């Protein structure tokens, strides 16, 4: 593992109060609650923490956390303020999953800001798991959500600018792969796991394109006996390996969260014969509260909040 992080966590281990376990493999093991999220989503973690620290359920916590970037116009790949597709439309993908393997998901959702909350309504108020497009929007309206314009002036300008020279970058690491998508995983005081994932997807994507984020098993997976995982980055790559499900299965077979994420990354890199320039980052949290992440390229980070810790961790990556 990254030496800096190892030293930081080792030092923390020495300072931790009784009641919290710590292993010197660099995996912190909290007794709970724990919340982790992709990228610098510390504000989302704080919203989740308010619920977790009061003894609330992980499902409420991850929904509350995911709603933070959805409402933030400064976050260019989630909810309001997200970059549009090639036709200038902001289309949202989101899902949520609880400790009983119940899940809800929406994809290609237009004009509704809190896609994660619509996904939760799918979980609670429908016999289905996934709804898309017009039907998902009608379902949202029927459940009390309001239509609103999600395209900010700043995002519209980026789109207008892109139209002058419309290249279609999907797999390369560039300005339209603005990675801020949130995957958020929580372990509550009752020892239950839940997760959520929400995004506006890759900027300047084709109209109708859906990524990994609303797909249970790709952008998110939770198995309350084992752990939870989430993904960010080029969704097409994550879907091809059923990434989050793969990470959880690797943990089931004994891998630590970081190692499970690393081995899922390895599968993706192997799909490209060992060389690629796209980015994917994974995040994992196991039933004991141990967590980790791993990415293809450098620059990926994830935010952690526990009783003792509130920080942004710079992830290890395949290509250094
Ligand atoms: C997608 N995985 O739609 C998302 C994009 C992403 O940070 O994670 N961006 O493919």
């Amino acid at each position: 593992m990254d030496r800096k992080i190892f030293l930081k966590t080792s030092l923390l281990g020495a300072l931790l109060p009784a009641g919290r376990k710590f292993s010197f493999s660099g995996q912190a093991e909290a007794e709970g609650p724990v919340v982790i999220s992709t990228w610098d989503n510390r504000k989302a973690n704080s919203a989740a923490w308010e619920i977790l620290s009061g003894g609330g359920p992980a499902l409420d916590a991850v929904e509350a956390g995911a709603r933070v970037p959805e409402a933030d116009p400064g976050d260019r790949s989630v909810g309001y303020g997200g970059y549009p597709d090639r036709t200038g439309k902001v289309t949202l993908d989101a899902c949520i999953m609880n400790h009983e393997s119940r899940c809800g998901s929406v994809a290609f959702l237009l004009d509704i800001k809190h896609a994660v909350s619509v996904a939760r309504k799918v979980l609670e108020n429908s016999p289905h798991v996934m709804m898309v497009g017009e039907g998902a929007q009608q379902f949202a309206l029927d459940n009390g959500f309001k239509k609103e314009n999600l395209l900010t002036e700043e995002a519209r300008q980026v789109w207008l600018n892109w139209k002058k020279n419309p290249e279609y970058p999907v797999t390369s690491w560039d300005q339209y792969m603005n990675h801020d998508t949130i995957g958020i995983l929580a372990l509550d005081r009752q020892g239950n796991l839940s997760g959520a994932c929400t995004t506006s997807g890759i900027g300047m994507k084709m109209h109708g394109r859906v990524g990994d984020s609303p797909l249970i098993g790709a952008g998110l997976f939770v198995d309350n006996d084992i752990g939870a995982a989430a993904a960010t980055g080029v969704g097409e790559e994550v879907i091809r390996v059923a990434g989050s499900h793969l990470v959880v299965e690797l943990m089931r077979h004994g891998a630590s969260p970081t190692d499970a994420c690393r081995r899922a990354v390895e599968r993706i890199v192997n799909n490209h014969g060992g060389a690629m320039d796209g980015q994917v980052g994974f995040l994992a949290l196991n039933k004991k509260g141990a967590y980790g992440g791993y990415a293809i390229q450098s620059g990926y980070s994830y935010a952690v909040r526990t009783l003792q810790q509130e920080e942004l961790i710079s992830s290890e990556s395949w290509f250094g």
Side-chain angles (χ1 to χ4, degrees):
M1 80 182 294
D2 179 289
R3 192 173 152 71
K4 242 181 8 215
I5 298 168
F6 177 77
L7 288 174
K8 190 155 50 166
T9 48
S10 297
L11 186 64
L12 251 176
L15 298 174
L16 290 175
R20 176 167 167 144
K21 291 178 245 146
F22 186 82
S23 91
F24 284 91
S25 66
Q27 304 281 344
E29 280 188 14
E31 280 171 358
V34 182
V35 58
I36 58 174
S37 55
T38 51
W39 307 107
D40 188 357
N41 272 301
R42 282 177 284 188
K43 284 188 196 147
N45 284 1
S46 294
W49 189 254
E50 280 198 23
I51 292 165
L52 293 171
S53 58
L59 189 70
D60 289 356
V62 294
E63 182 190 2
R67 286 172 63 95
V68 171
E70 282 183 340
D72 179 359
D75 190 317
R76 291 156 303 162
S77 54
V78 183
Y80 177 56
Y83 282 167
D85 66 15
R86 314 172 84 170
T87 68
K89 303 246 172 17
V90 180
T91 75
L92 305 183
D93 296 340
C95 69
I96 192 162
M97 187 163 188
N98 78 2
H99 62 287
E100 294 170 322
S101 297
R102 294 188 58 212
C103 34
S105 158
V106 287
F108 191 45
L109 177 69
L110 279 88
D111 300 331
I112 308 280
K113 190 192 282 174
H114 288 299
V116 73
S117 296
V118 183
R120 180 156 181 184
K121 291 289 183 205
V122 174
L123 183 161
E124 286 171 346
N125 295 352
S126 89
H128 305 306
V129 164
M130 186 163 193
M131 300 191 71
V132 305
E134 232 177 83
Q137 189 191 62
Q138 189 55 53
F139 174 82
L141 297 175
D142 292 346
N143 279 274
F145 293 83
K146 300 270 173 285
K147 270 192 181 183
E148 52 193 306
N149 174 29
L150 303 180
L151 184 65
T152 58
E153 185 50 31
E154 191 210 320
R156 197 176 79 90
Q157 288 304 328
V158 171
W159 170 62
L160 290 174
N161 210 32
W162 172 83
K163 284 213 309 177
K164 290 183 198 151
N165 182 18
E167 300 205 352
Y168 184 37
V170 167
T171 53
S172 63
W173 171 254
D174 68 21
Q175 57 176 320
Y176 301 115
M177 273 306 304
N178 43 298
H179 294 283
D180 286 324
T181 292
I182 183 168
I184 180 165
L185 310 172
L187 178 67
D188 63 27
R189 276 214 191 125
Q190 291 66 42
N192 286 325
L193 290 159
S194 288
C197 189
T198 182
T199 189
S200 53
I202 296 177
M204 318 309 140
K205 63 192 176 185
M206 291 174 78
H207 187 63
R209 179 263 188 191
V210 169
D212 60 317
S213 304
L215 300 181
I216 299 297
L220 176 73
F221 195 68
V222 177
D223 181 325
N224 203 46
D225 290 336
I226 305 297
T232 178
V234 182
E236 284 74 6
E237 300 296 347
V238 179
I239 293 169
R240 284 182 190 119
V241 297
S244 293
H245 184 260
L246 174 60
V247 170
V248 171
E249 289 308 295
L250 287 162
M251 291 196 286
R252 187 190 308 280
H253 292 289
S256 70
T258 303
D259 204 38
C261 293
R262 189 187 61 76
R263 287 162 66 184
V265 158
E266 182 177 25
R267 291 266 190 105
I268 295 175
V269 175
N270 285 348
N271 279 347
H272 290 263
M276 64 182 292
D277 60 5
Q279 174 69 310
V280 168
F282 287 108
L283 185 67
L285 172 65
N286 76 13
K287 186 74 180 166
K288 292 181 189 156
Y291 55 80
Y294 203 88
I296 296 176
Q297 316 289 348
S298 63
Y300 172 55
S301 57
Y302 55 96
V304 179
R305 181 90 194 250
T306 69
L307 274 173
Q308 289 80 14
Q309 193 184 9
E310 182 178 6
E311 67 181 307
L312 184 65
I313 294 178
S314 147
S315 168
E316 294 173 80
S317 58
W318 191 265
F319 293 113

